[in-house]
């Protein structure tokens, strides 16, 4: 298991299967920690159908954890 700190919510193809726990702080200073693989696994079809995920190999959101990922936030 590895830890990663970023400036935004991110799901990356290169991190799939690495058991990465990601922590990010949004522009309002709110910090979130989540399990990358758990969010990807439960929403795999959604990510694979996104143009950004196909083209760039990642999905990002700089403001918040998307609704589909909020159940995987680690308190």
């Amino acid at each position: 298991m590895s830890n990663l700190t970023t400036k935004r919510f991110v799901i990356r193809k290169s991190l799939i299967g690495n058991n990465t726990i990601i922590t990010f702080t949004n522009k309002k200073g709110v910090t979130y920690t989540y399990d990358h693989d758990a969010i990807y696994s439960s929403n795999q079809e959604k990510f694979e159908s996104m143009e950004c995920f196909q083209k760039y190999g990642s999905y990002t959101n700089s403001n918040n954890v998307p609704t589909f990922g909020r159940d995987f936030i680690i308190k």
Side-chain angles (χ1 to χ4, degrees):
M1 182 177 295
S2 61
N3 294 317
L4 179 66
T5 302
T6 66
K7 294 181 180 180
R8 63 189 53 87
F9 173 88
V10 64
I11 299 294
R12 291 186 193 140
K13 285 185 179 182
S14 63
L15 294 176
I16 296 169
N18 292 341
N19 296 322
T20 303
I21 300 298
I22 299 178
T23 300
F24 84 97
T25 303
N26 68 12
K27 295 174 185 176
K28 294 179 181 177
V30 180
T31 300
Y32 298 96
T33 301
Y34 61 94
D35 182 331
H36 177 276
D37 288 347
I39 292 176
Y40 175 78
S41 295
S42 68
N43 297 282
Q44 184 173 355
E45 281 187 31
K46 180 187 296 269
F47 288 116
E48 295 299 334
S49 67
M50 291 179 177
E51 188 175 329
C52 63
F53 202 73
Q54 293 173 10
K55 188 173 182 179
Y56 303 109
S58 67
Y59 168 82
T60 63
N61 185 325
S62 58
N63 296 315
N64 210 340
V65 174
T67 308
F68 58 78
R70 292 187 184 153
D71 289 340
F72 301 95
I73 294 174
I74 300 169
K75 306 273 188 246

